[in-house]
Amino acid sequence: MNDNSFYEKVYEVVRLVPYGRVTSYGAIAKYLGAARSSRLVGWAMNVSHQVHPPVPAHRVVNRLGMLSGKAHFEDPEAMERQLTAEGIEILNDQIQQFSTVFWDPEKELGL
DNA sequence: ACAATGACTGAAT
DNA sequence: AATTCAGCCATTG
């Protein structure tokens, strides 16, 4: 994987997600100019465990604010725990007040 | 070079 | 309104 690969871009954006905020796969994909490559973002996250530096994958959820990828973590409970530690309220694997904690790269960073 | 994969998303039923 | 279907596309075997 080259540093210029699509994955690397994804990691870069994910690292930009502020503390206590989350974003969605689609938002990242769209920000990267590949709005329909949301799956690739998820795939990138799957590999993010072996990537350096570490990527805050726990801050990335699907567009509904559901912890769809928690099962892919070393410890599925860790994702939920970390988000909670950042002040994000989670119930039944779903982020509460998602609209409030949602962080849209396009909106926050600007196009 | 071809086929398969997938932590998604939006449209169709 | 809820659930199912199909497209999507970079990476990998």
Side-chain angles (χ1 to χ4, degrees):
Chain A
M1 322 195 174
N2 300 338
D3 295 321
N4 294 336
S5 66
F6 183 84
Y7 286 6
E8 181 57 33
K9 290 182 180 179
V10 175
Y11 304 142
E12 199 168 333
V13 177
V14 176
R15 291 196 208 97
L16 291 177
V17 180
Y19 181 94
R21 299 294 195 94
V22 295
T23 190
S24 70
Y25 304 93
I28 295 172
K30 195 175 184 216
Y31 179 73
L32 294 178
R36 300 191 172 147
S37 302
S38 49
R39 299 184 153 200
L40 289 311
V41 177
W43 217 309
M45 292 294 94
N46 193 25
V47 188
S48 67
H49 286 288
Q50 65 184 11
V51 182
H52 170 75
V55 179
H58 62 278
R59 293 186 188 150
V60 184
V61 297
N62 65 5
R63 76 180 191 86
L64 299 177
M66 180 161 58
L67 308 188
S68 50
K70 74 165 195 172
H72 292 260
F73 280 75
E74 300 178 24
D75 296 328
E77 299 176 357
M79 183 177 188
E80 192 171 326
R81 194 187 321 127
Q82 288 188 76
L83 288 173
T84 302
E86 296 189 2
I88 298 177
E89 190 176 355
I90 299 178
L91 178 61
N92 194 14
D93 295 341
Q94 188 173 325
I95 297 179
Q96 305 302 303
Q97 303 176 359
F98 180 57
S99 305
T100 304
V101 297
F102 180 72
W103 183 81
D104 187 350
E106 283 191 354
K107 235 176 171 180
E108 304 296 333
L109 297 177
L111 281 178

